[in-house]
Amino acid sequence: MTAATGHNPQAALERAFASKSYKFGDSAVAARAQQLAQQLHLTAESFANQYDSFALISDWNMDVTAQRLKMVADYLEREQRKENSRPRVGAGGTGGSALKAVPQAAKPTWEDLSDKLDYPTPSAKRQALDPNAVNPGTASKEGTAMKPSTGRPGTSGAAGTPQASARQAPGAGVSQGWGASTPMATRLAASTPSTQPPSAFTLRVNQGQVVAVLNEHLPGPATYCQLYQRGASMPIRPLGQPILDAAELLFMMEVLETKVHALDERIMDFAESLTAATQHTAASGTSRTQNAVAGTPGCGGPAGTPTPVPVANSMLAPAGTPLPAAQAAANSTPGVIHTPVVVATTPATEREEARGVAEPLQHSVADMSHQPVWVAGRVLAETEGAPLNAESLLLEGCRDASGGARVRLDVSCLPAYRLFPGQSVCAYGLNPTGGKFIAQRLVTHVPPPPLAVTGPDAAAARESGLSLVVATGPYCLTEDLLYSPLEELLSYCTAHPPDVLLLLGPFVDSEHPGVAAGGGIADRTADSLMREEVLRRLAAWRSDHPSATVALMPAVRDMTALPVLPQPSMTAAAQALGPPDKAVALQNPSTVSMGPLVVAACSADVLKALSANEHSRVPPGTAVERLPALASHVLGQRSFYPLYPAAPGTCLDTSHYSQLQLPVMPNVLLMPSDLAPFAKLLPPTAWMAGGPPGLEVAGSVAGAGKGTGAAPPVSAAPVVVINPGRLARGAAGGTFAHVVVSPGDAPVLERIRVEVKRV
């Protein structure tokens, strides 16, 4: 019976699919698969490899259906017809078998390689591709080195046609400004076979698919390009950050005193921000909003300031004091703006206690206190590097106010919180023994002030439109260094010309397999890759779109930039693209003003680091979107990288702490990450429970201060948070974001549309 089964073609096909964890719904589907394999003259393993490659780039699950089999078979038949219509070259192309028409069918499997034990086993996605592309032992040096570009991006074919330029002659259409093909590229062109094996990127069927959209009802990129044509370039102006001097970077050379000073500065800056917020609230006489827990104090100002509208007496009561029925109902949903409960005048003694809210640096975290007081510090785990949990939280005060003392932080009285190591907080509560601070309220978010709009020119810029394309590296696939995703992105930008093209690193990725191994780039340096593969394409595209502005921001993984955060700008690369008003070099991180938007961006993967280190409590039944909530920490902490210790590979330089600060409240916060791409509107209610007492809520940053004089020092406004994803994900294409702001006098957040698309 076993011998008979071994010669059964259908059983062999089922085993081939099962080896890749695919399963057939029934025997009819398996029989159909065997029939298609026979029609295509493919072995069971080859057909399974082709299906696996197609399924990976199409995001299919592990169930094999007849419809999916038909899609794969139709594609293979088209490839066979194309191959059969081409003239055969050499003896390898004269065979009469149709098996030669499908490149993958003629390729050996991984098990056929003699030296497979000398190299890591590839993933299923790469196993479906040419083994020579991932195993240096089976190809010559020239076969695994860089291949030349096949043409100028954006002019090689119709927009949206994948690899439209792959059939041009090597080196055709190269920009004259960058010279002809290199000698290495010439040798590669001569040794490259006429038929290239299909890759996961070329096999993709989801090109241009929109994976996330914000404000779908507003005009999209195509409509914006038709209605609004910009003649002048869009100016990009950095905000609040001095130029970073590369000679002063001290990563891996910092002394302990420098790190301690930076952590102290963060705590004191956060406490002073809270002081400024409560002073403004007390001076303006704003009524309080009951949005926290029992035991939350009122927001009195310092001595001598007018007493604000009083709040409920229960807000100053110790934890556990019963609330009135109406107020308890208002507190049932943390994080939601509630109607304040106004009662009789607060007694003088309670008003005296409430004045401490404006001065959290007046008390040490280790002082014994039987009455609620405000203290400032940072959150950390009992054991450095260990994950946070409710039983191991410590609160460390600054040296000036607390002498660096540490006490346990008890958060059992809080219904909701989001904490991570290194987070600056201001806590209100008791410390009966001097060793444990029982928090009744925890302020974790004090957002930065909005950008004030002054002058007629600034007001006109805020009412203008904008088309912004944002992409994050890597820009080439792991199986080669051809930068195909970058070419496809520029082809899209040719079809939908943006006002600003913002590219975040890495451009030459130090973690690319070909770069990390050293043999994949042959005799080419990282600088030559940056110049010939990235800047040459960008210069050619910008010459065709003279009104567009290109902005470059490096990443720590860039081989052509200093691997440290904060990171100096790539000035030389921007100068190679054009004048400063057309090619802008941005520091990492940066906050810039471009037309109607204030954009804050950092190429470090802050979301992934916070996701791995955050400890949170969310009340049952409360719907919280985790990714935007993680992004709110950047706004609330006023820091592009609030986590400490930093994640491995971040190369954080604490001596330049001020360069990581978020100077103003942005309209758009760019948070590129390996996590799922998204575009979300982050409302103040998502983190209001962690905000300062009396926090003012503005409709938008654009509207703040408009017609009402100066903007308040602290206000909460909705922010658009975008993770554009990576332009290349392994051997497959990734995603990018297209932001469109329609002209008008409405608030910016009512005119903005964001699409996250697959390349």
Side-chain angles (χ1 to χ4, degrees):
M1 182 68 180
T2 305
T5 304
H7 294 287
N8 185 353
Q10 182 173 333
L13 187 69
E14 292 178 357
R15 287 196 302 271
F17 274 79
S19 66
K20 299 182 179 299
S21 302
Y22 291 104
K23 56 184 179 180
F24 293 96
D26 49 40
S27 58
V29 178
R32 177 57 177 166
Q34 172 58 25
Q35 180 184 4
L36 292 174
Q38 291 178 351
Q39 292 177 358
L40 296 169
H41 301 279
L42 293 176
T43 64
E45 291 77 10
S46 297
F47 190 57
N49 284 341
Q50 291 285 1
Y51 183 91
D52 183 41
S53 179
F54 211 93
L56 286 171
I57 62 176
S58 303
D59 294 334
W60 291 347
N61 56 24
M62 308 311 292
D63 296 329
V64 182
T65 63
Q67 182 180 5
R68 293 174 178 176
L69 288 171
K70 185 177 183 304
M71 292 175 63
V72 176
D74 290 344
Y75 169 78
L76 295 177
E77 287 178 354
R78 290 194 301 269
E79 291 300 310
Q80 284 184 356
R81 288 194 294 268
K82 292 179 182 178
E83 182 65 23
N84 293 334
S85 63
R86 297 175 183 173
R88 301 298 181 180
V89 179
T94 59
S97 173
L99 179 63
K100 299 293 184 180
V102 182
Q104 179 62 32
K107 294 293 180 182
T109 61
W110 183 261
E111 288 74 10
D112 297 331
L113 300 178
S114 58
D115 58 347
K116 58 182 176 296
L117 297 179
D118 295 335
Y119 301 93
T121 302
S123 63
K125 180 186 297 184
R126 299 177 69 181
Q127 192 174 2
L129 306 176
D130 179 14
N132 294 337
V134 295
N135 192 341
T138 61
S140 64
K141 292 183 179 180
E142 292 184 353
T144 58
M146 277 293 305
K147 297 181 179 61
S149 173
T150 57
R152 284 177 58 179
T155 60
S156 56
T161 304
Q163 298 298 325
S165 62
R167 293 183 293 275
Q168 295 182 4
V174 176
S175 173
Q176 297 298 325
W178 294 104
S181 301
T182 62
M184 184 65 184
T186 305
R187 297 198 304 271
L188 289 174
S191 62
T192 303
S194 59
T195 302
Q196 295 293 336
S199 65
F201 185 72
T202 57
L203 291 174
R204 72 194 191 282
V205 295
N206 53 6
Q207 181 183 13
Q209 176 187 0
V210 178
V211 299
V213 61
L214 176 67
N215 290 338
E216 191 173 3
H217 63 283
L218 296 177
T223 305
Y224 183 90
C225 293
Q226 293 176 359
L227 298 180
Y228 310 107
Q229 295 293 333
R230 182 177 300 279
S233 60
M234 175 66 68
I236 298 179
R237 181 168 58 93
L239 300 174
Q241 288 178 312
I243 298 177
L244 185 62
D245 187 359
E248 297 179 357
L249 295 174
L250 298 175
F251 175 67
M252 297 188 68
M253 298 176 61
E254 298 173 289
V255 296
L256 181 60
E257 181 66 22
T258 302
K259 298 181 180 181
V260 173
H261 178 74
L263 296 175
D264 274 356
E265 286 292 322
R266 285 194 54 189
I267 296 174
M268 291 187 290
D269 287 349
F270 189 82
E272 291 171 359
S273 300
L274 176 62
T275 300
T278 52
Q279 282 178 340
H280 172 78
T281 302
S284 60
T286 308
S287 63
R288 298 300 175 270
T289 304
Q290 172 62 17
N291 63 342
V293 300
T296 301
C299 303
T305 55
T307 302
V309 177
V311 296
N313 293 337
S314 59
M315 296 178 68
L316 290 170
T321 304
L323 295 175
Q327 190 170 342
N331 287 337
S332 60
T333 307
V336 179
I337 303 177
H338 304 299
T339 304
V341 182
V342 181
V343 294
T345 304
T346 307
T349 56
E350 293 180 351
R351 287 202 307 270
E352 192 69 24
E353 295 169 3
R355 288 175 181 169
V357 68
E359 299 176 349
L361 295 176
Q362 293 293 314
H363 299 275
S364 169
V365 297
D367 287 345
M368 294 181 60
S369 59
H370 298 278
Q371 295 294 331
V373 295
W374 280 92
V375 297
R378 70 181 182 102
V379 177
L380 67 156
E382 186 175 7
T383 303
E384 184 173 339
L388 291 182
N389 60 73
E391 304 301 325
S392 66
L393 292 175
L394 297 182
L395 181 64
E396 179 184 83
C398 61
R399 288 184 295 178
D400 288 349
S402 304
R406 293 181 177 182
V407 296
R408 291 194 175 274
L409 179 61
D410 188 344
V411 293
S412 58
C413 297
L414 303 178
Y417 55 80
R418 310 189 76 95
L419 302 175
F420 58 87
Q423 184 178 27
S424 300
V425 299
C426 290
Y428 180 86
L430 310 173
N431 192 351
T433 64
K436 177 189 289 188
F437 192 90
I438 304 174
Q440 299 176 358
R441 175 164 186 164
L442 207 60
V443 175
T444 59
H445 289 66
V446 182
L451 179 65
V453 179
T454 58
D457 295 338
R462 302 290 284 181
E463 296 176 0
S464 63
L466 175 67
S467 176
L468 168 67
V469 171
V470 182
T472 307
Y475 293 91
C476 61
L477 310 175
T478 54
E479 61 186 13
D480 56 40
L481 287 166
L482 299 179
Y483 285 82
S484 302
L486 178 59
E487 287 188 352
E488 294 295 333
L489 175 68
L490 295 178
S491 297
Y492 172 86
C493 293
T494 299
H496 307 85
D499 300 323
V500 178
L501 174 59
L502 176 57
L503 302 179
L504 289 73
F507 297 95
V508 181
D509 190 4
S510 61
E511 297 183 6
H512 188 283
V515 175
I521 59 177
D523 57 353
R524 305 182 70 181
T525 64
D527 288 335
S528 66
L529 283 175
M530 180 68 180
R531 181 178 62 255
E532 298 170 11
E533 302 298 333
V534 178
L535 299 181
R536 179 182 59 82
R537 289 179 169 89
L538 293 178
W541 180 83
R542 206 193 64 78
S543 64
D544 294 336
H545 303 82
S547 62
T549 303
V550 178
L552 304 179
M553 177 184 291
V556 174
R557 285 162 46 182
D558 262 307
M559 292 193 66
T560 58
L562 290 176
V564 64
L565 187 73
Q567 195 170 21
S569 58
M570 306 173 67
T571 306
Q575 290 175 350
L577 295 180
D581 61 329
K582 299 293 185 180
V584 181
L586 299 178
Q587 298 178 181
N588 178 30
S590 286
T591 303
V592 298
S593 171
M594 54 177 73
L597 292 182
V598 175
V599 180
C602 179
S603 62
D605 196 343
V606 186
L607 286 179
K608 188 176 181 179
L610 289 173
S611 176
N613 291 274
E614 187 193 52
H615 169 62
S616 61
R617 175 188 292 171
V618 179
T622 304
V624 177
E625 293 187 281
R626 178 168 171 77
L627 293 180
L630 291 173
S632 71
H633 290 308
V634 173
L635 301 173
Q637 295 285 295
R638 300 191 182 190
S639 173
F640 283 101
Y641 205 95
L643 181 69
Y644 189 87
T650 306
C651 304
L652 184 65
D653 181 6
T654 54
S655 64
H656 289 79
Y657 154 70
S658 60
Q659 295 284 346
L660 297 175
Q661 287 182 304
L662 189 65
V664 296
M665 194 73 164
N667 301 114
V668 175
L669 179 62
L670 298 177
M671 305 283 289
S673 173
D674 292 333
L675 303 180
F678 66 90
K680 299 287 186 179
L681 184 65
L682 180 64
T685 54
W687 50 266
M688 185 64 71
L695 183 67
E696 298 187 10
V697 179
S700 68
V701 176
K706 208 173 189 181
T708 59
V714 177
S715 64
V719 176
V720 176
V721 183
I722 305 173
N723 172 20
R726 306 291 182 182
L727 195 67
R729 285 188 169 274
T735 55
F736 65 94
H738 198 155
V739 182
V740 174
V741 181
S742 301
D745 56 358
V748 172
L749 298 183
E750 297 178 9
R751 300 185 278 129
I752 187 171
R753 173 186 172 119
V754 183
E755 293 182 357
V756 180
K757 297 182 176 182
R758 297 190 185 275
V759 65

